[in-house]
Amino acid sequence: MTMHRMHRTKRNLKPIWVDVRAKIKGGELDWRVKWKRHKWNPFWNEGPIEQPAGSGGHEIMFDLDDDTGLGLRFLEPPDEAIWVMPDTCPQGKCNQGGQITPVSVEDEGTRLRVIDANKGAAVDLHYALNFDGTRSAHGPPYCHDPIIKNRGG
């Protein structure tokens, strides 16, 4: 049994799979984030990741699909790869709100694994995903800042 599976089984966390796609469109970085609750489900959700009230903690796997030619990879350690603030975009390294625990950067920098506690009061978590890569007009570091809607526990 892998460490990844042991961790999820031990804590009984429900997985969320997130596809983070980066490409260059019109000379600018273009990001698209899709997510789903079942790995083999062919249907993806777009927009903020939504955690239902009372659903408990979730393990979130962010998988990078880099079509930029810049060799993007999640920054390491994992607390550099994701910064989190409730209700406003993070402007620097932080992990506020007590909801997100960065766990690991895996698969040669193409996967970021975090735990979302989804407990307490409902909150919108603004997070920045941070990447390293070949130098260009856009970075490094490269950054994208979507939202997780935690509905609490």
Side-chain angles (χ1 to χ4, degrees), residues 8-99:
R8 183 173 55 223
T9 303
K10 181 179 176 186
R11 299 178 126 229
N12 197 26
L13 298 174
K14 299 162 221 64
I16 295 179
W17 302 92
V18 182
D19 180 59
V20 180
R21 183 161 297 162
K23 63 182 180 177
I24 296 181
K25 187 175 180 179
E28 297 294 322
L29 275 175
D30 183 52
W31 299 93
R32 182 175 177 195
V33 176
K34 303 181 301 183
W35 61 276
K36 60 186 175 180
R37 296 191 187 281
H38 304 286
K39 184 174 186 174
W40 306 115
N41 182 350
F43 303 105
W44 292 85
N45 299 291
E46 295 197 37
I49 298 169
E50 296 192 30
Q51 309 286 43
S55 66
H58 293 78
E59 180 181 41
I60 303 175
M61 277 74 60
F62 293 94
D63 289 318
L64 175 62
D65 184 1
D66 176 24
D67 292 328
T68 66
L70 297 170
L72 299 180
R73 297 289 178 258
F74 284 103
L75 285 177
E76 291 191 61
D79 66 342
E80 290 286 350
I82 187 168
W83 301 339
V84 183
M85 284 192 73
D87 302 319
T88 187
C89 293
Q91 299 301 310
K93 184 177 178 180
C94 61
N95 187 0
Q96 297 180 7
Q99 297 289 318

Coordinates of all heavy atoms in Angstrom, one line a residue, residues 8-99:
R8 N -4.8 8.6 3.0 CA -6.2 8.9 2.7 C -7.1 7.9 3.5 O -8.1 8.3 4.1 CB -6.5 8.8 1.2 CG -8.0 9.1 1.0 CD -8.3 9.2 -0.5 NE -7.9 8.1 -1.2 CZ -7.3 8.1 -2.4 NH1 -7.0 9.2 -3.0 NH2 -7.0 7.0 -3.0
T9 N -6.7 6.6 3.5 CA -7.5 5.6 4.2 C -7.5 5.9 5.7 O -8.5 5.8 6.3 CB -7.0 4.2 3.9 OG1 -7.0 4.0 2.5 CG2 -7.8 3.1 4.5
K10 N -6.4 6.2 6.2 CA -6.2 6.4 7.7 C -7.1 7.5 8.1 O -7.8 7.5 9.2 CB -4.8 6.7 8.0 CG -4.5 7.0 9.5 CD -3.1 7.2 9.7 CE -2.8 7.6 11.2 NZ -1.4 8.0 11.4
R11 N -7.2 8.6 7.4 CA -8.0 9.8 7.8 C -9.4 9.7 7.2 O -10.2 10.6 7.4 CB -7.3 11.0 7.3 CG -6.0 11.2 8.0 CD -5.2 12.4 7.6 NE -4.9 13.1 8.8 CZ -5.2 14.4 8.9 NH1 -5.7 15.1 8.0 NH2 -4.8 15.0 10.1
N12 N -9.7 8.7 6.3 CA -11.0 8.6 5.7 C -11.4 9.9 4.9 O -12.5 10.3 5.0 CB -12.1 8.2 6.7 CG -13.3 7.7 6.0 OD1 -13.2 7.1 4.9 ND2 -14.4 7.8 6.6
L13 N -10.4 10.4 4.2 CA -10.6 11.6 3.4 C -11.2 11.3 2.0 O -10.8 10.3 1.4 CB -9.3 12.4 3.2 CG -8.7 12.9 4.5 CD1 -7.3 13.5 4.3 CD2 -9.6 13.9 5.2
K14 N -12.1 12.1 1.5 CA -12.6 11.9 0.2 C -11.8 12.7 -0.8 O -11.4 13.9 -0.5 CB -14.1 12.5 0.2 CG -15.0 11.7 1.2 CD -16.2 12.6 1.5 CE -16.6 12.6 2.9 NZ -15.8 13.1 3.9
P15 N -11.4 12.1 -1.9 CA -10.5 12.8 -2.9 C -11.2 13.7 -3.8 O -12.4 13.5 -4.1 CB -9.9 11.6 -3.7 CG -11.0 10.5 -3.6 CD -11.6 10.7 -2.3
I16 N -10.5 14.7 -4.2 CA -11.0 15.7 -5.2 C -9.8 15.8 -6.2 O -8.7 16.0 -5.8 CB -11.4 17.0 -4.7 CG1 -12.6 16.9 -3.8 CG2 -11.6 18.0 -5.8 CD1 -13.1 18.2 -3.2
W17 N -10.1 15.5 -7.5 CA -9.1 15.6 -8.5 C -9.2 16.9 -9.3 O -10.3 17.3 -9.7 CB -9.3 14.4 -9.5 CG -9.2 13.1 -8.8 CD1 -10.3 12.4 -8.3 CD2 -8.1 12.4 -8.5 NE1 -9.8 11.3 -7.6 CE2 -8.5 11.3 -7.8 CE3 -6.7 12.6 -8.7 CZ2 -7.5 10.3 -7.3 CZ3 -5.8 11.6 -8.3 CH2 -6.2 10.5 -7.6
V18 N -8.1 17.7 -9.4 CA -8.1 19.0 -10.0 C -7.1 19.0 -11.2 O -6.0 18.6 -11.0 CB -7.8 20.1 -9.0 CG1 -7.8 21.4 -9.7 CG2 -8.7 20.0 -7.8
D19 N -7.6 19.4 -12.4 CA -6.7 19.5 -13.5 C -6.4 21.0 -13.7 O -7.4 21.8 -13.9 CB -7.5 19.0 -14.8 CG -6.6 19.1 -16.0 OD1 -5.5 18.5 -16.0 OD2 -7.1 19.8 -17.0
V20 N -5.2 21.4 -13.6 CA -4.7 22.7 -13.8 C -4.0 22.8 -15.1 O -2.9 22.2 -15.2 CB -3.8 23.2 -12.6 CG1 -3.3 24.6 -12.8 CG2 -4.4 23.0 -11.3
R21 N -4.6 23.4 -16.1 CA -4.0 23.5 -17.4 C -3.5 24.9 -17.7 O -4.2 25.9 -17.5 CB -5.1 23.1 -18.5 CG -4.6 23.1 -19.9 CD -5.4 22.3 -20.8 NE -5.5 20.9 -20.3 CZ -6.4 20.0 -20.7 NH1 -7.4 20.4 -21.4 NH2 -6.3 18.8 -20.2
A22 N -2.3 24.9 -18.2 CA -1.6 26.2 -18.5 C -1.2 26.1 -20.0 O -0.6 25.1 -20.4 CB -0.4 26.4 -17.6
K23 N -1.5 27.2 -20.7 CA -1.0 27.4 -22.1 C -0.8 28.9 -22.3 O -1.2 29.7 -21.5 CB -2.0 26.8 -23.0 CG -3.4 27.4 -23.1 CD -4.3 26.7 -24.1 CE -5.6 27.3 -24.1 NZ -6.5 26.7 -25.1
I24 N -0.2 29.1 -23.4 CA 0.1 30.5 -23.8 C -0.9 30.9 -24.9 O -1.0 30.2 -25.9 CB 1.5 30.8 -24.2 CG1 2.4 30.6 -23.0 CG2 1.6 32.2 -24.8 CD1 3.9 30.8 -23.3
K25 N -1.7 31.9 -24.7 CA -2.8 32.3 -25.6 C -2.7 33.8 -25.8 O -2.8 34.6 -24.8 CB -4.1 31.9 -25.0 CG -5.3 32.1 -25.9 CD -6.6 31.6 -25.3 CE -7.8 31.7 -26.2 NZ -9.0 31.2 -25.5
G26 N -2.5 34.2 -27.0 CA -2.3 35.7 -27.3 C -1.1 36.3 -26.6 O -1.2 37.5 -26.2
G27 N -0.1 35.5 -26.4 CA 1.1 36.0 -25.7 C 1.0 36.1 -24.2 O 2.0 36.5 -23.5
E28 N -0.1 35.6 -23.6 CA -0.3 35.6 -22.2 C -0.5 34.2 -21.7 O -1.0 33.4 -22.4 CB -1.5 36.5 -21.8 CG -1.4 37.9 -22.2 CD -0.4 38.7 -21.4 OE1 -0.2 38.4 -20.2 OE2 0.3 39.5 -22.0
L29 N -0.2 34.0 -20.4 CA -0.5 32.7 -19.8 C -2.0 32.6 -19.6 O -2.6 33.5 -19.1 CB 0.2 32.6 -18.4 CG 1.6 32.1 -18.4 CD1 2.2 32.2 -17.0 CD2 1.7 30.7 -19.0
D30 N -2.5 31.5 -20.0 CA -3.9 31.2 -19.9 C -4.1 30.0 -19.0 O -3.5 28.9 -19.3 CB -4.5 31.0 -21.3 CG -6.0 30.7 -21.3 OD1 -6.7 31.6 -20.7 OD2 -6.5 29.7 -21.9
W31 N -4.9 30.1 -17.9 CA -5.1 29.0 -17.0 C -6.5 28.5 -17.1 O -7.4 29.3 -17.2 CB -4.8 29.5 -15.6 CG -3.4 30.0 -15.3 CD1 -3.0 31.3 -15.5 CD2 -2.3 29.3 -15.0 NE1 -1.7 31.4 -15.2 CE2 -1.2 30.1 -14.9 CE3 -2.1 27.9 -14.7 CZ2 0.1 29.7 -14.5 CZ3 -0.8 27.5 -14.4 CH2 0.3 28.4 -14.3
R32 N -6.7 27.2 -16.9 CA -8.0 26.6 -16.8 C -8.0 25.6 -15.7 O -7.1 24.7 -15.7 CB -8.4 26.0 -18.1 CG -9.8 25.4 -18.1 CD -10.1 24.9 -19.5 NE -11.4 24.2 -19.4 CZ -11.9 23.5 -20.3 NH1 -11.2 23.2 -21.4 NH2 -13.1 22.9 -20.2
V33 N -8.9 25.6 -14.8 CA -9.0 24.7 -13.7 C -10.3 24.0 -13.7 O -11.4 24.6 -13.8 CB -8.8 25.4 -12.3 CG1 -9.0 24.5 -11.2 CG2 -7.5 26.1 -12.2
K34 N -10.2 22.6 -13.8 CA -11.4 21.8 -13.7 C -11.3 20.8 -12.6 O -10.1 20.5 -12.2 CB -11.6 21.0 -15.0 CG -11.6 21.8 -16.3 CD -11.7 20.9 -17.5 CE -10.6 20.0 -17.7 NZ -10.7 19.1 -18.9
W35 N -12.4 20.4 -12.0 CA -12.3 19.4 -10.9 C -13.4 18.4 -10.9 O -14.5 18.7 -11.5 CB -12.2 20.2 -9.6 CG -13.5 21.0 -9.3 CD1 -13.7 22.3 -9.8 CD2 -14.6 20.7 -8.5 NE1 -15.0 22.7 -9.4 CE2 -15.5 21.8 -8.6 CE3 -15.0 19.5 -7.8 CZ2 -16.8 21.7 -8.0 CZ3 -16.2 19.5 -7.2 CH2 -17.1 20.6 -7.2
K36 N -13.2 17.3 -10.2 CA -14.2 16.3 -10.1 C -13.9 15.5 -8.8 O -12.8 15.5 -8.3 CB -14.2 15.4 -11.3 CG -13.0 14.6 -11.6 CD -13.1 13.9 -12.9 CE -11.8 13.2 -13.3 NZ -11.9 12.5 -14.6
R37 N -14.9 14.8 -8.3 CA -14.8 14.0 -7.1 C -14.5 12.6 -7.3 O -14.0 11.9 -6.4 CB -16.2 14.1 -6.3 CG -16.5 15.5 -5.8 CD -17.6 15.5 -4.9 NE -18.0 16.9 -4.6 CZ -17.3 17.7 -3.8 NH1 -16.3 17.3 -3.2 NH2 -17.7 19.0 -3.6
H38 N -14.6 12.1 -8.5 CA -14.3 10.7 -8.8 C -13.3 10.6 -9.9 O -13.6 11.2 -11.0 CB -15.5 9.9 -9.1 CG -16.6 10.0 -8.1 ND1 -16.5 9.3 -6.9 CD2 -17.7 10.7 -8.0 CE1 -17.5 9.6 -6.1 NE2 -18.3 10.4 -6.8
K39 N -12.2 10.0 -9.7 CA -11.1 10.0 -10.7 C -11.5 9.6 -12.1 O -11.1 10.1 -13.1 CB -9.9 9.2 -10.2 CG -8.7 9.2 -11.1 CD -7.5 8.5 -10.5 CE -6.3 8.7 -11.4 NZ -5.1 8.1 -10.7
W40 N -12.3 8.5 -12.1 CA -12.7 7.9 -13.4 C -14.0 8.5 -14.0 O -14.4 8.1 -15.1 CB -12.8 6.4 -13.3 CG -11.5 5.9 -12.7 CD1 -11.4 5.2 -11.5 CD2 -10.2 5.9 -13.3 NE1 -10.1 4.9 -11.3 CE2 -9.3 5.3 -12.4 CE3 -9.7 6.5 -14.4 CZ2 -8.0 5.2 -12.6 CZ3 -8.3 6.4 -14.7 CH2 -7.5 5.8 -13.7
N41 N -14.6 9.5 -13.3 CA -15.8 10.2 -13.9 C -15.3 11.0 -15.1 O -14.4 11.8 -15.0 CB -16.4 11.0 -12.8 CG -17.6 11.8 -13.2 OD1 -18.0 11.8 -14.4 ND2 -18.3 12.4 -12.3
P42 N -16.0 10.9 -16.2 CA -15.6 11.6 -17.4 C -16.0 13.1 -17.4 O -15.6 13.9 -18.2 CB -16.2 10.9 -18.6 CG -17.4 10.3 -18.0 CD -17.1 9.9 -16.5
F43 N -16.9 13.4 -16.4 CA -17.5 14.8 -16.4 C -16.7 15.7 -15.3 O -16.5 15.3 -14.2 CB -18.9 14.8 -16.0 CG -19.7 13.9 -17.0 CD1 -20.2 12.7 -16.7 CD2 -20.0 14.4 -18.3 CE1 -20.9 11.9 -17.6 CE2 -20.7 13.6 -19.2 CZ -21.1 12.4 -18.9
W44 N -16.3 16.9 -15.8 CA -15.6 17.8 -14.9 C -16.4 19.0 -14.6 O -17.3 19.4 -15.3 CB -14.3 18.3 -15.7 CG -13.3 17.3 -15.9 CD1 -13.2 16.4 -17.0 CD2 -12.1 17.0 -15.1 NE1 -12.1 15.6 -16.9 CE2 -11.4 15.9 -15.7 CE3 -11.6 17.6 -14.0 CZ2 -10.2 15.4 -15.2 CZ3 -10.4 17.1 -13.5 CH2 -9.8 16.0 -14.1
N45 N -16.2 19.6 -13.4 CA -16.8 20.8 -13.0 C -15.8 21.9 -13.3 O -14.6 21.8 -13.1 CB -17.1 20.8 -11.5 CG -18.0 19.7 -11.1 OD1 -19.2 19.7 -11.4 ND2 -17.5 18.7 -10.4
E46 N -16.3 23.1 -13.6 CA -15.5 24.3 -13.8 C -15.9 25.3 -12.7 O -17.0 25.2 -12.2 CB -15.7 24.8 -15.2 CG -15.1 23.8 -16.2 CD -14.9 24.4 -17.6 OE1 -14.4 25.6 -17.6 OE2 -15.1 23.7 -18.5
G47 N -15.1 26.3 -12.5 CA -15.3 27.3 -11.4 C -14.7 26.8 -10.1 O -14.0 25.8 -10.0
P48 N -15.1 27.5 -9.0 CA -14.5 27.2 -7.7 C -14.8 25.8 -7.3 O -15.9 25.2 -7.6 CB -15.2 28.2 -6.8 CG -15.6 29.3 -7.7 CD -16.0 28.7 -9.0
I49 N -13.8 25.2 -6.6 CA -14.0 23.8 -6.0 C -15.0 24.0 -4.9 O -14.8 24.9 -4.0 CB -12.7 23.3 -5.5 CG1 -11.7 23.1 -6.6 CG2 -13.0 22.0 -4.7 CD1 -10.3 22.8 -6.2
E50 N -16.1 23.3 -4.9 CA -17.1 23.4 -3.8 C -17.2 22.2 -2.9 O -17.3 21.1 -3.4 CB -18.5 23.7 -4.5 CG -18.5 25.0 -5.3 CD -19.9 25.4 -5.7 OE1 -20.8 25.1 -5.0 OE2 -20.0 26.0 -6.8
Q51 N -17.0 22.5 -1.6 CA -17.1 21.5 -0.6 C -18.4 21.6 0.1 O -18.7 22.6 0.8 CB -16.0 21.7 0.5 CG -14.6 21.8 -0.2 CD -14.1 20.5 -0.7 OE1 -14.8 19.7 -1.3 NE2 -12.8 20.2 -0.4
P52 N -19.3 20.6 0.1 CA -20.6 20.7 0.7 C -20.5 20.8 2.2 O -19.6 20.2 2.8 CB -21.3 19.4 0.3 CG -20.5 18.9 -0.9 CD -19.1 19.4 -0.7
A53 N -21.5 21.4 2.9 CA -21.5 21.5 4.3 C -21.6 20.1 4.9 O -22.3 19.2 4.4 CB -22.7 22.3 4.8
G54 N -20.9 19.8 6.0 CA -20.9 18.6 6.6 C -20.2 17.4 5.9 O -20.3 16.3 6.4
S55 N -19.5 17.7 4.8 CA -18.9 16.6 4.1 C -17.5 16.2 4.6 O -16.9 15.3 4.2 CB -18.8 17.0 2.6 OG -17.9 18.1 2.4
G56 N -17.0 17.0 5.6 CA -15.7 16.7 6.2 C -14.5 17.0 5.3 O -14.7 17.7 4.3
G57 N -13.4 16.5 5.7 CA -12.1 16.8 5.0 C -12.0 16.1 3.7 O -12.7 15.1 3.5
H58 N -11.2 16.7 2.9 CA -11.0 16.2 1.5 C -9.5 16.2 1.2 O -8.8 17.2 1.6 CB -11.7 17.0 0.5 CG -13.2 16.8 0.5 ND1 -13.9 17.5 1.5 CD2 -14.0 16.1 -0.2 CE1 -15.2 17.2 1.3 NE2 -15.3 16.3 0.3
E59 N -9.0 15.2 0.5 CA -7.6 15.3 -0.1 C -7.8 15.8 -1.5 O -8.6 15.3 -2.3 CB -7.0 13.9 -0.1 CG -5.7 13.8 -0.6 CD -5.1 12.4 -0.6 OE1 -5.8 11.5 -1.0 OE2 -3.9 12.3 -0.3
I60 N -7.0 16.9 -1.8 CA -7.1 17.5 -3.1 C -5.8 17.3 -3.8 O -4.8 17.6 -3.3 CB -7.4 19.0 -3.0 CG1 -8.7 19.2 -2.2 CG2 -7.5 19.6 -4.4 CD1 -9.1 20.7 -2.0
M61 N -5.9 16.7 -5.0 CA -4.8 16.5 -5.9 C -4.8 17.4 -7.1 O -5.7 17.3 -7.9 CB -4.7 15.0 -6.4 CG -4.1 14.0 -5.5 SD -5.1 13.6 -4.1 CE -6.6 12.9 -4.8
F62 N -3.9 18.4 -7.1 CA -3.8 19.3 -8.2 C -2.8 18.7 -9.2 O -1.7 18.6 -8.9 CB -3.3 20.7 -7.7 CG -4.2 21.4 -6.8 CD1 -4.1 21.3 -5.5 CD2 -5.2 22.2 -7.4 CE1 -5.0 22.0 -4.6 CE2 -6.1 23.0 -6.5 CZ -5.9 22.8 -5.1
D63 N -3.3 18.4 -10.4 CA -2.4 17.8 -11.4 C -2.2 18.9 -12.5 O -3.2 19.4 -13.1 CB -3.0 16.6 -12.0 CG -3.0 15.4 -11.1 OD1 -2.0 15.2 -10.4 OD2 -4.0 14.7 -11.0
L64 N -0.9 19.2 -12.7 CA -0.6 20.2 -13.7 C -0.5 19.6 -15.1 O 0.2 18.6 -15.3 CB 0.8 20.9 -13.3 CG 1.4 21.9 -14.3 CD1 0.5 23.1 -14.5 CD2 2.8 22.3 -13.8
D65 N -1.1 20.3 -16.1 CA -1.0 19.9 -17.5 C -0.4 21.2 -18.2 O -1.2 22.1 -18.5 CB -2.4 19.6 -18.0 CG -2.4 19.2 -19.4 OD1 -1.3 19.1 -20.1 OD2 -3.5 18.9 -20.0
D66 N 0.9 21.2 -18.4 CA 1.6 22.3 -18.9 C 1.7 22.2 -20.4 O 2.5 21.4 -20.9 CB 3.0 22.4 -18.2 CG 3.8 23.5 -18.8 OD1 3.3 24.5 -19.3 OD2 5.1 23.4 -18.7
D67 N 1.0 23.1 -21.1 CA 1.1 23.2 -22.6 C 1.8 24.5 -23.0 O 1.6 25.0 -24.1 CB -0.3 23.2 -23.2 CG -0.9 21.8 -23.1 OD1 -0.2 20.8 -23.0 OD2 -2.2 21.7 -23.0
T68 N 2.6 25.1 -22.1 CA 3.3 26.4 -22.3 C 4.6 26.3 -23.0 O 5.1 27.3 -23.6 CB 3.4 27.2 -21.0 OG1 4.4 26.5 -20.2 CG2 2.1 27.4 -20.3
G69 N 5.3 25.1 -22.9 CA 6.7 25.0 -23.3 C 7.6 25.6 -22.3 O 8.9 25.6 -22.6
L70 N 7.2 26.0 -21.2 CA 8.0 26.7 -20.1 C 8.5 25.7 -19.1 O 9.3 26.0 -18.2 CB 7.3 27.8 -19.4 CG 6.9 29.0 -20.3 CD1 5.9 29.9 -19.6 CD2 8.1 29.7 -20.8
G71 N 8.1 24.4 -19.2 CA 8.5 23.4 -18.2 C 8.0 23.7 -16.8 O 8.8 23.6 -15.8
L72 N 6.8 24.2 -16.7 CA 6.2 24.5 -15.4 C 6.2 23.3 -14.4 O 5.9 22.2 -14.8 CB 4.8 25.1 -15.5 CG 4.7 26.4 -16.3 CD1 3.2 26.8 -16.4 CD2 5.5 27.5 -15.8
R73 N 6.5 23.6 -13.1 CA 6.4 22.6 -12.1 C 6.0 23.3 -10.8 O 6.4 24.5 -10.6 CB 7.8 22.0 -11.8 CG 8.4 21.2 -13.0 CD 7.6 19.9 -13.2 NE 8.0 19.1 -14.3 CZ 7.3 19.0 -15.4 NH1 6.3 19.8 -15.7 NH2 7.7 18.2 -16.4
F74 N 5.3 22.7 -9.9 CA 4.9 23.2 -8.7 C 6.2 23.5 -7.9 O 7.1 22.7 -7.9 CB 4.0 22.3 -7.8 CG 2.6 22.2 -8.3 CD1 2.1 21.1 -9.0 CD2 1.7 23.2 -8.0 CE1 0.8 21.1 -9.4 CE2 0.4 23.2 -8.4 CZ 0.0 22.1 -9.1
L75 N 6.2 24.7 -7.2 CA 7.3 25.1 -6.4 C 7.4 24.1 -5.2 O 6.4 23.5 -4.8 CB 7.2 26.5 -5.8 CG 7.4 27.6 -6.7 CD1 7.1 28.9 -6.0 CD2 8.8 27.6 -7.3
E76 N 8.6 23.9 -4.7 CA 8.8 23.1 -3.5 C 9.5 23.9 -2.4 O 10.2 24.8 -2.8 CB 9.7 21.8 -3.8 CG 8.9 20.9 -4.7 CD 9.7 19.5 -4.8 OE1 9.8 18.9 -3.8 OE2 10.0 19.2 -5.9
P77 N 9.2 23.6 -1.2 CA 8.3 22.6 -0.6 C 6.8 23.0 -0.8 O 6.5 24.1 -1.3 CB 8.7 22.7 0.9 CG 9.1 24.1 1.2 CD 9.8 24.5 -0.1
P78 N 5.9 22.1 -0.4 CA 4.5 22.3 -0.8 C 3.9 23.6 -0.2 O 3.0 24.1 -0.8 CB 3.8 21.1 -0.2 CG 4.8 20.4 0.6 CD 6.1 20.8 0.2
D79 N 4.4 24.1 0.9 CA 3.9 25.4 1.4 C 4.3 26.6 0.6 O 3.8 27.7 0.7 CB 4.2 25.6 2.9 CG 5.6 25.8 3.2 OD1 6.5 25.4 2.3 OD2 6.0 26.3 4.3
E80 N 5.2 26.4 -0.4 CA 5.6 27.4 -1.4 C 4.7 27.2 -2.6 O 4.4 28.2 -3.3 CB 7.0 27.3 -1.8 CG 8.0 27.7 -0.8 CD 8.1 29.2 -0.5 OE1 7.5 29.9 -1.3 OE2 8.8 29.6 0.4
A81 N 4.2 26.0 -2.8 CA 3.4 25.7 -4.0 C 1.9 26.2 -3.9 O 1.3 26.5 -4.9 CB 3.3 24.2 -4.3
I82 N 1.4 26.4 -2.6 CA 0.1 26.9 -2.4 C 0.1 27.9 -1.3 O 0.6 27.6 -0.2 CB -0.9 25.8 -2.2 CG1 -2.4 26.3 -2.2 CG2 -0.6 24.9 -1.0 CD1 -3.4 25.2 -2.3
W83 N -0.5 29.1 -1.5 CA -0.7 30.1 -0.5 C -2.2 30.2 -0.3 O -2.9 30.2 -1.3 CB -0.1 31.4 -0.8 CG 1.4 31.4 -1.1 CD1 2.3 30.5 -0.7 CD2 2.1 32.4 -1.8 NE1 3.6 30.8 -1.1 CE2 3.5 32.0 -1.8 CE3 1.8 33.5 -2.5 CZ2 4.5 32.7 -2.5 CZ3 2.7 34.3 -3.1 CH2 4.1 33.9 -3.1
V84 N -2.7 30.4 0.9 CA -4.1 30.4 1.2 C -4.5 31.6 2.1 O -3.9 31.8 3.1 CB -4.6 29.1 1.8 CG1 -6.1 29.1 2.0 CG2 -4.1 27.9 1.0
M85 N -5.6 32.3 1.7 CA -6.2 33.3 2.6 C -7.7 33.2 2.5 O -8.2 33.0 1.4 CB -5.7 34.7 2.2 CG -4.3 35.0 2.7 SD -4.0 36.7 2.5 CE -4.9 37.4 3.9
P86 N -8.4 33.3 3.6 CA -9.9 33.4 3.5 C -10.3 34.8 2.9 O -9.8 35.8 3.3 CB -10.4 33.3 4.9 CG -9.2 33.1 5.8 CD -8.0 33.3 4.9
D87 N -11.3 34.7 2.0 CA -12.0 35.9 1.5 C -11.2 36.9 0.7 O -11.7 37.9 0.3 CB -12.7 36.6 2.7 CG -13.7 35.7 3.3 OD1 -14.4 34.9 2.6 OD2 -13.7 35.7 4.6
T88 N -9.9 36.8 0.5 CA -9.1 37.7 -0.3 C -7.9 37.0 -0.9 O -7.4 36.0 -0.3 CB -8.7 38.9 0.5 OG1 -8.1 39.9 -0.4 CG2 -7.7 38.6 1.6
C89 N -7.4 37.4 -2.0 CA -6.3 36.8 -2.7 C -5.0 37.0 -1.9 O -4.7 38.1 -1.4 CB -6.1 37.3 -4.1 SG -7.4 36.9 -5.2
P90 N -4.2 35.9 -1.7 CA -2.9 36.0 -1.0 C -1.9 36.8 -1.8 O -1.8 36.6 -3.0 CB -2.5 34.6 -0.7 CG -3.2 33.8 -1.8 CD -4.5 34.5 -2.1
Q91 N -1.2 37.7 -1.1 CA -0.2 38.5 -1.8 C 1.2 38.0 -1.6 O 2.2 38.5 -2.1 CB -0.3 40.0 -1.3 CG -1.7 40.6 -1.6 CD -2.0 40.6 -3.1 OE1 -1.2 41.0 -3.9 NE2 -3.1 40.1 -3.5
G92 N 1.4 37.0 -0.7 CA 2.7 36.4 -0.4 C 2.5 35.1 0.3 O 1.3 34.7 0.5
K93 N 3.6 34.5 0.7 CA 3.5 33.2 1.4 C 2.7 33.3 2.6 O 2.9 34.1 3.5 CB 4.9 32.7 1.7 CG 4.9 31.3 2.3 CD 6.3 30.8 2.5 CE 6.3 29.5 3.2 NZ 7.7 29.0 3.4
C94 N 1.6 32.5 2.7 CA 0.8 32.4 3.9 C -0.1 31.2 3.8 O -0.3 30.6 2.7 CB -0.1 33.7 4.0 SG -1.2 33.9 2.6
N95 N -0.6 30.8 4.9 CA -1.6 29.7 5.0 C -2.5 30.1 6.2 O -2.3 29.6 7.3 CB -1.0 28.4 5.2 CG -2.0 27.2 5.1 OD1 -3.1 27.5 4.8 ND2 -1.5 26.0 5.2
Q96 N -3.5 30.9 5.9 CA -4.4 31.4 6.9 C -5.7 30.7 6.9 O -6.2 30.3 5.8 CB -4.5 32.9 6.8 CG -3.2 33.6 7.0 CD -3.3 35.1 6.9 OE1 -4.4 35.7 6.8 NE2 -2.2 35.8 7.0
G97 N -6.4 30.7 8.0 CA -7.8 30.1 8.0 C -7.9 28.7 8.6 O -8.9 28.2 8.9
G98 N -6.7 28.1 8.7 CA -6.7 26.7 9.3 C -7.4 25.6 8.6 O -7.8 24.6 9.1
Q99 N -7.6 25.8 7.3 CA -8.4 24.8 6.5 C -7.5 24.0 5.6 O -7.7 22.8 5.4 CB -9.4 25.5 5.6 CG -10.5 26.3 6.3 CD -11.4 25.4 7.0 OE1 -11.8 24.3 6.5 NE2 -11.8 25.7 8.3

